[in-house]
Amino acid sequence: MATIVIYTTSWCPFCTRAKKLLDHKNVTYTEVDVSSSDARAKMVALTGGSTVPQLLINDKPEGGCDELYALERSGKLDKLLSQ
């Protein structure tokens, strides 16, 4: 099973949407709240993205909510999650 880290904030509707899809897929993920500037700086360094959510799947940056749903629509998400 894949290792998934999702960087979020509590007030972000896109974060909620991304987590809802991951929950629907019944996968375990680690959620990191980036409300503090230190956590956000680490997220940017690891993912290259400055907006939330940002996802790492098996230590590879996969983008945010839109990219996650694009992977789902293309049929590629299940393959990534099963690695």
Side-chain angles (χ1 to χ4, degrees):
M1 195 50 82
T3 301
I4 304 162
V5 179
I6 182 168
Y7 294 91
T8 66
T9 61
S10 61
W11 59 86
C12 169
F14 296 102
C15 298
T16 301
R17 189 168 177 243
K19 291 187 298 183
K20 184 175 179 180
L21 177 57
L22 294 173
D23 290 341
H24 176 75
K25 295 288 185 177
N26 292 315
V27 296
T28 302
Y29 55 87
T30 300
E31 182 176 4
V32 179
D33 186 328
V34 295
S35 298
S36 75
S37 59
D38 289 342
R40 188 172 289 264
K42 182 177 179 181
M43 175 194 77
V44 172
L46 290 172
T47 68
S50 60
T51 60
V52 290
Q54 289 295 317
L55 286 112
L56 291 173
I57 300 177
N58 293 325
D59 298 321
K60 181 178 180 249
E62 294 294 344
C65 185
D66 290 342
E67 291 80 8
L68 182 66
Y69 274 84
L71 286 169
E72 173 68 0
R73 285 189 302 276
S74 70
K76 295 178 182 176
L77 182 58
D78 288 337
K79 183 177 178 183
L80 277 176
L81 296 177
S82 68
Q83 294 179 347

